[in-house]
Amino acid sequence: TMMTCCALSNQPSKLTEPRPLATNSMPFFYQKKYTLSFILFFSLIVAAKAQYSDDYTPIKSSGAIPEEFLKSAKALSMEETRAIVAGKDHDAKTQFTISQNYFLQNLLLSGDVLFNDPLSVYVNKVADELLKDNASLRQQLHIYVVKRPEVDAFAFDKGFVFVNIGLLAQLENEAQLAYVLSHEITHITKHHSITEYIENIKLNNGTSDYEDGSENDRNLAKYKFSKEQESEADVEGLKLFKESKYSVKTVSGAFDVLQYSYLPFELADFKKSFFEENDMTLPDTLILKKTQEVKSNDDYDDTKSTHPNIRKRRGSIESDLKMEDESSRKKYLVSEDEFKKTRENARFELCRLYQRDRDYVNAIYAAYLLLEKYPNNLFLHKTISKALYNISVNKSNEKNRNSTNITDDSKLSSKRYSIPDYTKIEGPSQRVYYMLDNLSAKELNVVAINYVYKAHKKYPSDKTLSSLTDSLFAELVFANDLYPNDFSRKTKKEIKEDASRPVVKDSTDGEESKYSKIKKQQQQVEMSTDENFIKYALVDEFKDADFAKRYSEIAKGNSKKVEIETSTSLNKKHSRDKNNDVPLLGIDKVIFIPPYYSRVEYKDGDDFVNFYESEERQKWLLDVEKKCANQLKLSFAEVNTVGISSGDLEKFNDNAVVNEWIETRFRHGNNSDEVIENAESIKQLIDKLGSKYLAWGGVANVKGRSYKNTYFFLVFNLESGEVMKYETQYARTKDYSDMVTSLVYNSLMHVSKKPKPE
């Protein structure tokens, strides 16, 4: 069922200088007042820098879970649908109300929505200022920050406004945030979501006053209708905004933020020296001589867009901006310092979200920008280390796949990562894309081990950096055939000095041997070209005994620390049940998460989810899994938010960790050994729950002319990412309880049954 919401967007700035000290022309009282203000402001800036100087802790929710997170979607829907007045749109409004409640419940409990965190607290303070004189409207609103990197905000008719972290990372001032909130609040007060939902149904049925000809005409009419609502939100939102004391001239800048939202939060030249040190020098050919200019067009074709283009949006409110008297208006009503701390926090979190979403180059560039201010921040160095590692293993895997004609026959879809086309990138970050794209698999592997090992030596107690180091050693050997002897132990300077020394001639005939001449010639060729930079890239590292020992042990195959394995492969060898050739895992304890359950009915070309029955059957299926586990003497722990209360913060945050891991794991597919962004949080959860195996099952039952029933069951190893078990069963039948119970029991039996010793 289509769920409609209204969003802000269809597509960086420096810290403000502290105000100058008071001059002697001011009366003493004001000199003292302004001097104290400066001292306070300066101390807050210093405190903010100190907060990020060493590390960064990812944002998570805290305190009591808000009441709206705890309400049953079914109970809400039944209450609200009873209040819908009978009429021609009654059925559509009923379906919309049910859909919206279930969508919101899933979103609120997903873990992506934050509450009682510093970002959400600040955004709500801005809303308080914006609606200072409209208490009744303010009480109807629920405003939250969402862990998404897109520069956007969105709203639902039930009074919910969601602001993405990606937007907070890009805004220039507090007033721009207030205008964004005004725009989204207007969507709510004008009931745009339900209006658009009903209009789309009319367009599909040919009863709309808009175009209703071909399917293409109907789609264009939907875009047209949506654009009208967005224009209304811009215009009416400005009226709401002007009722506050925020600066109106800042609104134009909010559209700049949207227009250039595809660019990083700051624009700074990327220097290859960032990855260089002594003889670890990258060839100049890896640096793009001229980057593509930023050329975003604000008058783009918006025919097939839900929003008018930026030029039209500016034009619709331009006259109202010019007429406004700014004398009593301000950019900041809550706090300039709090805005900047919020934006900085969002930028740190953005690094993590890019990494989570496999946007590795953006993660590297964002961390690179922040390292200019916080050069000793562990989180930033780990961000770059993990991103380099993930890009490197993908390049190596792709190289080996191409050279050996390996095919991926596993049942989960393969999602190989490749660096986005650098020719489509604008601005200075294009250099990062170009460099990483043009490095060969071997070269990138060497660059990665150089950077990661230095980070590991700087933070020796960090287990992630140590593990990445070992994995990159193994990649050098097993994926790229690079052994310790392939690297020079002498610097280029030392080799030149050796070459300048008098030749030691053969004692028998006084002549220099031909082999000595050949070696000298080869050294001169190697040092005269940048192409062989990897030979000298690790000279400094080999002086470190730990580096040399670990690399050597892995090269000899003696290391027990590293096992290079296709952690996402389904082709691992497990003992199998002789009756049906299904792997026997012999697992003692699993972690259950709420199963998936969906009952869908096709009618007149549309699909309708029976939310009530789906929810009830989901609860039933979880009970079945637990009963079957008990019968099989399979221990289990649960991670879910079903029936949580306001004090169950730990359960809520555990659920958020697992949901993020699963989402990221499916993004990775089967193509590589990429490290999952929140692996450290997962490790803590494993230790707490006493199991590293996560079980997830589900049923999709579709009724059309006949029934189609799909059952699936997966078991993940949360430490390695390996899919231990993946099965699907199909049947053209209703989802009979006995049949589903039998399938669940059979799946869990193969999970718990121990294989016979070989």
Side-chain angles (χ1 to χ4, degrees):
T1 303
M2 183 189 66
M3 184 66 246
T4 305
C5 67
C6 297
L8 171 75
S9 173
N10 50 339
Q11 298 244 312
S13 59
K14 301 281 185 182
L15 288 173
T16 303
E17 293 294 324
R19 80 175 60 172
L21 289 168
T23 64
N24 290 330
S25 59
M26 291 184 179
F28 174 77
F29 171 80
Y30 287 103
Q31 287 186 41
K32 183 176 180 181
K33 176 184 174 183
Y34 276 87
T35 301
L36 289 173
S37 297
F38 171 75
I39 292 172
L40 175 61
F41 183 83
F42 181 76
S43 66
L44 288 171
I45 294 296
V46 171
K49 287 192 174 184
Q51 179 183 353
Y52 305 115
S53 61
D54 297 323
D55 203 358
Y56 166 76
T57 302
I59 306 169
K60 62 181 181 180
S61 298
S62 63
I65 302 174
E67 182 183 352
E68 51 268 22
F69 283 64
L70 309 175
K71 293 179 180 177
S72 161
K74 182 177 180 179
L76 279 172
S77 298
M78 293 180 72
E79 178 184 338
E80 292 171 7
T81 53
R82 281 196 294 267
I84 297 174
V85 179
K88 62 179 181 179
D89 295 326
H90 178 271
D91 290 347
K93 289 179 179 179
T94 298
Q95 184 64 22
F96 174 83
T97 300
I98 296 171
S99 301
Q100 181 173 233
N101 281 324
Y102 276 88
F103 181 90
L104 277 171
Q105 184 191 51
N106 286 334
L107 177 60
L108 292 173
L109 297 179
S110 68
D112 274 350
V113 178
L114 294 162
F115 55 82
N116 300 327
D117 64 288
L119 273 63
S120 298
V121 168
Y122 172 70
V123 171
N124 275 276
K125 286 181 182 179
V126 175
D128 292 342
E129 281 291 343
L130 177 68
L131 301 174
K132 206 170 191 176
D133 299 324
N134 197 340
S136 128
L137 176 58
R138 180 66 184 98
Q139 289 173 1
Q140 299 172 36
L141 300 175
H142 311 283
I143 302 174
Y144 295 102
V145 170
V146 188
K147 292 184 282 187
R148 293 182 181 175
E150 295 81 16
V151 180
D152 203 2
F154 53 102
F156 293 91
D157 280 1
K158 284 176 64 66
F160 285 82
V161 176
F162 298 98
V163 179
N164 286 356
I165 280 175
L167 176 65
L168 294 177
Q170 296 266 12
L171 291 170
E172 295 177 298
N173 52 63
E174 184 177 296
Q176 289 177 353
L177 174 58
Y179 177 70
V180 168
L181 294 176
S182 299
H183 175 100
E184 298 305 329
I185 291 167
T186 300
H187 280 310
I188 293 171
T189 57
K190 297 295 181 181
H191 303 289
H192 282 164
S193 291
I194 191 168
T195 305
E196 184 175 358
Y197 181 86
I198 293 171
E199 188 63 32
N200 286 341
I201 291 176
K202 290 179 178 179
L203 282 162
N204 287 336
N205 296 336
T207 58
S208 170
D209 293 335
Y210 287 77
E211 302 148 74
D212 57 0
S214 66
E215 181 179 354
N216 186 56
D217 289 337
R218 289 196 299 273
N219 286 333
L220 290 175
K222 290 177 184 178
Y223 294 133
K224 180 180 178 182
F225 187 77
S226 179
K227 283 197 281 283
E228 289 180 1
Q229 291 186 316
E230 292 303 327
S231 294
E232 183 178 27
D234 283 338
V235 174
E236 296 300 318
L238 181 59
K239 292 179 182 178
L240 176 63
F241 177 83
K242 289 166 75 172
E243 292 175 9
S244 73
K245 295 296 183 181
Y246 279 111
S247 168
V248 175
K249 67 181 181 182
T250 61
V251 171
S252 181
F255 288 107
D256 287 335
V257 171
L258 297 180
Q259 182 178 346
Y260 298 105
S261 62
Y262 63 96
L263 295 171
F265 54 77
E266 284 184 6
L267 299 181
D269 191 26
F270 178 80
K271 298 178 175 62
K272 72 183 179 79
S273 58
F274 180 74
F275 289 121
E276 295 179 323
E277 183 181 48
N278 298 329
D279 274 18
M280 168 58 181
T281 55
L282 299 176
D284 290 337
T285 54
L286 290 173
I287 292 300
L288 192 62
K289 301 303 179 188
K290 184 178 180 182
T291 58
Q292 188 167 228
E293 293 180 0
V294 176
K295 53 185 179 184
S296 179
N297 174 23
D298 66 352
D299 195 22
Y300 51 85
D301 180 13
D302 59 8
T303 307
K304 295 183 178 181
S305 171
T306 57
H307 292 61
N309 65 42
I310 297 297
R311 183 173 296 184
K312 290 175 184 174
R313 293 180 70 177
R314 286 184 200 272
S316 66
I317 61 172
E318 191 172 14
S319 59
D320 291 326
L321 296 180
K322 290 180 179 178
M323 294 168 57
E324 188 59 37
D325 177 15
E326 283 283 315
S327 58
S328 62
R329 296 182 172 273
K330 298 178 180 180
K331 290 182 180 179
Y332 303 94
L333 295 178
V334 176
S335 165
E336 181 177 0
D337 176 66
E338 196 168 351
F339 167 79
K340 289 174 179 175
K341 283 197 278 191
T342 298
R343 184 177 64 184
E344 200 79 336
N345 209 341
R347 289 176 175 182
F348 269 86
E349 189 67 15
L350 197 57
C351 295
R352 199 186 71 80
L353 297 179
Y354 284 147
Q355 184 84 5
R356 181 197 70 181
D357 296 348
R358 296 180 96 202
D359 193 356
Y360 299 133
V361 185
N362 257 333
I364 290 172
Y365 188 69
Y368 169 82
L369 293 173
L370 290 168
L371 278 169
E372 288 291 311
K373 287 189 265 187
Y374 314 105
N376 296 316
N377 185 280
L378 169 60
F379 169 82
L380 297 176
H381 285 292
K382 282 171 70 173
T383 295
I384 294 175
S385 295
K386 288 188 282 190
L388 283 174
Y389 172 80
N390 285 343
I391 297 172
S392 181
V393 294
N394 273 281
K395 273 207 175 189
S396 295
N397 287 350
E398 186 64 24
K399 180 198 74 171
N400 293 329
R401 182 182 299 276
N402 292 337
S403 63
T404 57
N405 295 318
I406 295 174
T407 58
D408 190 347
D409 60 354
S410 56
K411 295 178 182 179
L412 287 181
S413 60
S414 178
K415 301 175 182 178
R416 288 188 285 276
Y417 170 83
S418 58
I419 297 169
D421 183 359
Y422 75 88
T423 64
K424 296 180 180 179
I425 306 299
E426 298 175 10
S429 67
Q430 188 184 27
R431 284 202 168 94
V432 190
Y433 289 85
Y434 180 85
M435 185 190 78
L436 294 173
D437 189 43
N438 281 277
L439 283 166
S440 69
K442 286 186 177 184
E443 292 169 340
L444 184 54
N445 194 176
V446 171
V447 170
I449 189 64
N450 180 279
Y451 184 90
V452 174
Y453 188 75
K454 284 190 292 188
H456 163 58
K457 295 302 289 185
K458 189 170 185 176
Y459 308 99
S461 62
D462 187 84
K463 294 180 180 179
T464 297
L465 291 173
S466 180
S467 176
L468 288 175
T469 297
D470 285 335
S471 296
L472 285 166
F473 278 141
E475 187 190 342
L476 284 171
V477 175
F478 301 117
N480 289 313
D481 296 321
L482 285 172
Y483 291 82
N485 287 341
D486 291 318
F487 296 92
S488 174
R489 303 302 191 275
K490 292 184 177 182
T491 65
K492 291 181 180 180
K493 181 181 178 182
E494 289 170 337
I495 291 174
K496 284 181 181 178
E497 290 174 350
D498 288 346
S500 65
R501 292 192 183 100
V503 175
V504 178
K505 298 182 179 180
D506 190 279
S507 59
T508 57
D509 56 15
E511 294 290 330
E512 181 181 6
S513 72
K514 74 173 183 179
Y515 307 107
S516 175
K517 292 178 181 178
I518 291 170
K519 289 178 182 178
K520 284 175 63 177
Q521 183 182 11
Q522 287 175 339
Q523 288 176 346
Q524 289 171 353
V525 171
E526 286 172 355
M527 292 194 311
S528 66
T529 176
D530 284 337
E531 310 239 335
N532 197 34
F533 78 91
I534 62 175
K535 183 174 181 66
Y536 301 94
L538 303 178
V539 171
D540 289 337
E541 281 66 33
F542 271 108
K543 294 175 182 176
D544 186 306
D546 176 63
F547 181 93
K549 180 181 178 182
R550 288 164 77 171
Y551 191 2
S552 177
E553 287 295 307
I554 289 173
K556 292 175 184 176
N558 295 333
S559 176
K560 295 181 180 179
K561 291 184 179 178
V562 179
E563 294 180 10
I564 291 299
E565 57 183 0
T566 54
S567 63
T568 56
S569 172
L570 297 173
N571 299 322
K572 294 247 179 202
K573 291 184 179 179
H574 298 287
S575 297
R576 308 178 87 83
D577 185 331
K578 292 180 180 179
N579 296 324
N580 53 14
D581 198 36
V582 176
L584 302 177
L585 302 179
I587 293 172
D588 295 319
K589 185 176 183 180
V590 296
I591 300 168
F592 282 134
I593 59 173
Y596 173 84
Y597 216 109
S598 176
R599 276 187 170 174
V600 180
E601 182 176 350
Y602 279 102
K603 188 176 180 181
D604 300 327
D606 289 323
D607 59 312
F608 297 92
V609 179
N610 189 323
F611 289 102
Y612 295 166
E613 288 188 10
S614 297
E615 182 182 55
E616 292 303 318
R617 292 292 282 182
Q618 182 192 38
K619 293 176 183 176
W620 170 82
L621 181 55
L622 181 58
D623 286 339
V624 167
E625 289 178 343
K626 292 189 286 188
K627 287 176 183 177
C628 289
N630 284 327
Q631 289 176 14
L632 292 162
K633 294 182 171 52
L634 173 64
S635 298
F636 62 85
E638 289 184 73
V639 175
N640 67 66
T641 54
V642 177
I644 59 172
S645 61
S646 62
D648 289 332
L649 178 69
E650 187 175 351
K651 287 184 180 179
F652 182 90
N653 284 332
D654 286 349
N655 181 70
V657 169
V658 171
N659 281 351
E660 182 170 283
W661 188 93
I662 293 173
E663 182 183 358
T664 307
R665 174 62 187 81
F666 273 98
R667 281 196 183 100
H668 288 187
N670 293 315
N671 62 306
S672 72
D673 298 299
E674 293 176 48
V675 61
I676 292 179
E677 166 54 32
N678 71 341
E680 291 169 275
S681 298
I682 280 289
K683 181 62 171 66
Q684 294 171 6
L685 193 61
I686 290 170
D687 294 340
K688 182 170 77 171
L689 299 179
S691 176
K692 62 181 179 181
Y693 300 106
L694 184 141
W696 182 42
V699 174
N701 188 260
V702 180
K703 181 183 178 182
R705 293 182 179 178
S706 62
Y707 283 104
K708 293 180 181 178
N709 197 64
T710 303
Y711 167 81
F712 71 87
F713 189 83
L714 297 102
V715 177
F716 290 104
N717 181 325
L718 291 171
E719 279 187 346
S720 67
E722 179 188 356
V723 180
M724 307 292 293
K725 179 181 180 62
Y726 178 33
E727 66 171 301
T728 54
Q729 302 283 347
Y730 305 96
R732 290 187 174 277
T733 179
K734 193 176 180 181
D735 52 341
Y736 294 109
S737 296
D738 288 348
M739 178 189 70
V740 175
T741 301
S742 175
L743 290 169
V744 171
Y745 184 89
N746 194 54
S747 296
L748 290 175
M749 184 266 290
H750 291 112
V751 170
S752 62
K753 189 174 181 180
K754 298 189 183 301
K756 293 181 179 180
E758 296 183 3

